[in-house]
Amino acid sequence: MRTTAVAVVAAALSVVLAAPAVAAPAVAAPAVAALPGPEAGTGNATDTGDHRATRQALQAAVAAGVPGVTATARDRRGTWSATAGVGDLRTGQKRSPHDRYRVGSITKTFVATVLLQLEAEGRLSLDDTVDTRLPGLVTGNGHDGTRITLRQLLNHTSGIFDYTADEDYRRAYSTKEGFFEHRYDTRAPEDLVRVALAHEPYFEPGAPEKWMYSNTNYVLAALVIEKATGRPYGEEVHRRIIEPLHLTATSVPGTRVSLPRPSSRAYSKLGPPATEPTYDVTRLNPSRAFSAGEMISDSKDLNRFYRALLTGRLLPAEQLDEMTTTVPVTTGMDYGLGLMKVTLSCGTNVWGHSGGISGSRTGTGTTKDGRHSLAFNFNGDWAGNSTAIMEAEFCGD
């Protein structure tokens, strides 16, 4: 029996997208007074196949209310990109296949990869306890770092409370009143951990049949990286992954509030989608997400990253096996170490992660052999059927 929040998480993760990523809709700018009707056209960068079903799914997302979508796929025919809708509701500028966007919890796969590289180098073990690596940090209200392993952090079986579920945190970043006041706040990772430890854990570490997505796990994982290497986790991500793979659109922004260009605007309702106006939430301080979801990338880079990861370019076979050893979450979805496996309706398994942060929802999926990959982004956080996009690409034409 799993905690009830798993149902919420599974609903999002099973479509390889959004909700459990970092925070609910947060930081925004002035409301957009009037919205244009949905733009359902597509524009292509490189078109090496028909991908008709995927095109239709992108158009349907815009028709459902997403301002704009950008997607890039790679398969045996080559690379294909398409967009639908707009990147700027004021000017009507289209989305671009080269848009850079906030990827939310996809950051977790990068963090897990670095931690597994450190294990391969003999600098730590996934069976180390959190307290061994971060003495005295995880304690209080039933939390006990001497009983939680690094592996349990990475596969969300630690039971540690998710700091983004804290009511004060939600008010600060998920309401109109809160985001106007806190959009540029800098949050230290230790502060995020303290928010979590003010609550009781969800369950005992490693309890049978228990699983709970917690962003706190990955804040702690990054702190372990920093303690083991003596460098910020973002530097390790850059040195070990971004540079070797030449991910030119990928970055760890820290406290930088702007998006690098090219990019589109990001939008949120900051309340019930049916009644609230739309706010421009592009500029925000991503330190509130830290290693649980602060990174920026584009669709091409995300496909390259997951292909390299799954084909053994970043991890030795032993560590890749550990990463792809999963625990069940719900029917059709399992979670490894910073990596999700989703079984689609046609029986195809895709590996990747979802990502959501204010104004941005991102999905990735790659087959285990790395031969077929897809990454896409919505520049709105309240609408759109991402399941249909994944199904269309991997099970459609």
Side-chain angles (χ1 to χ4, degrees):
M1 176 178 170
R2 298 182 179 89
T3 21
T4 55
V6 168
V8 178
V9 173
L13 292 185
S14 63
V15 298
V16 199
L17 199 63
V22 168
V27 190
V32 177
L35 306 182
E39 164 71 44
T42 58
N44 306 303
T46 305
D47 197 346
T48 57
D50 186 63
H51 296 266
R52 183 178 306 170
T54 308
R55 291 177 186 274
Q56 293 172 347
L58 300 182
Q59 294 166 358
V62 173
V66 177
V69 190
T70 182
T72 295
R74 182 184 174 97
D75 60 17
R76 59 181 174 79
R77 296 172 291 187
T79 299
W80 171 87
S81 295
T83 67
V86 297
D88 190 318
L89 290 171
R90 292 190 183 278
T91 67
Q93 178 179 337
K94 308 296 185 184
R95 292 216 66 177
S96 165
H98 308 294
D99 272 353
R100 301 179 184 190
Y101 45 78
R102 302 187 192 279
V103 303
S105 276
I106 290 170
T107 305
K108 292 179 172 68
T109 313
F110 287 83
V111 172
T113 301
V114 171
L115 205 62
L116 284 161
Q117 288 178 342
L118 292 172
E119 183 190 54
E121 295 164 8
R123 300 172 72 173
L124 52 77
S125 167
L126 292 187
D127 296 320
D128 290 343
T129 67
V130 173
D131 197 70
T132 299
R133 294 292 165 178
L134 303 170
L137 181 59
V138 178
T139 185
N141 286 318
H143 292 284
D144 184 355
T146 68
R147 300 175 57 211
I148 300 169
T149 67
L150 303 187
R151 189 187 311 274
Q152 290 166 344
L153 294 181
L154 297 186
N155 68 11
H156 297 295
T157 60
S158 71
I160 296 175
F161 186 84
D162 181 0
Y163 72 88
T164 68
D166 175 78
E167 284 304 314
D168 288 340
Y169 183 95
R170 287 187 178 276
R171 278 193 292 271
Y173 299 109
S174 302
T175 66
K176 294 187 294 293
E177 297 77 16
F179 77 74
F180 278 124
E181 182 178 355
H182 298 289
R183 63 183 302 172
Y184 298 130
D185 289 1
T186 294
R187 302 291 295 264
E190 293 81 4
D191 173 48
L192 302 178
V193 174
R194 282 192 292 270
V195 170
L197 298 181
H199 300 265
E200 293 182 357
Y202 294 121
F203 49 78
E204 293 291 311
E209 301 298 317
K210 297 280 189 175
W211 185 90
M212 178 62 78
Y213 193 96
S214 174
N215 290 288
T216 314
N217 288 324
Y218 277 77
V219 173
L220 291 167
L223 292 177
V224 169
I225 291 170
E226 295 184 349
K227 191 71 175 288
T229 64
R231 288 182 289 269
Y233 94 92
E235 287 187 14
E236 291 297 307
V237 168
H238 193 273
R239 184 171 70 89
R240 293 168 174 270
I241 301 174
I242 294 174
E243 281 190 354
L245 295 182
H246 306 289
L247 304 180
T248 57
T250 303
S251 61
V252 183
T255 59
R256 189 177 70 237
V257 302
S258 60
L259 279 174
R261 294 183 179 179
S263 57
S264 293
R265 310 304 296 176
Y267 298 98
S268 181
K269 292 291 188 178
L270 297 170
T275 59
E276 293 297 324
T278 301
Y279 298 91
D280 185 324
V281 300
T282 310
R283 293 174 62 82
L284 60 86
N285 185 330
S287 66
R288 65 178 172 91
F290 189 55
S291 53
E294 71 171 297
M295 287 181 65
I296 293 167
S297 191
D298 71 359
S299 299
K300 174 180 62 67
D301 273 10
L302 291 178
N303 285 336
R304 181 180 297 176
F305 167 59
Y306 280 103
R307 287 198 312 273
L309 178 62
L310 291 165
T311 56
R313 290 183 57 192
L314 293 172
L315 294 174
E318 179 182 349
Q319 276 68 40
L320 185 56
D321 285 345
E322 289 184 304
M323 188 177 228
T324 55
T325 297
T326 62
V327 294
V329 175
T330 190
T331 302
M333 194 195 80
D334 303 272
Y335 201 96
L337 306 183
L339 197 61
M340 302 186 313
K341 181 180 78 170
V342 175
T343 303
L344 300 173
S345 63
C346 56
T348 297
N349 291 326
V350 293
W351 296 80
H353 212 287
S354 62
I357 194 168
S358 304
S360 180
R361 297 173 61 199
T362 304
T364 62
T366 299
T367 54
K368 188 88 176 279
D369 60 10
R371 293 181 179 179
H372 191 177
S373 57
L374 171 71
F376 61 95
N377 173 261
F378 295 171
N379 65 338
D381 58 23
W382 68 90
N385 186 346
S386 53
T387 307
I389 296 175
M390 298 300 295
E391 289 279 345
E393 179 60 30
F394 290 95
C395 300
D397 57 4

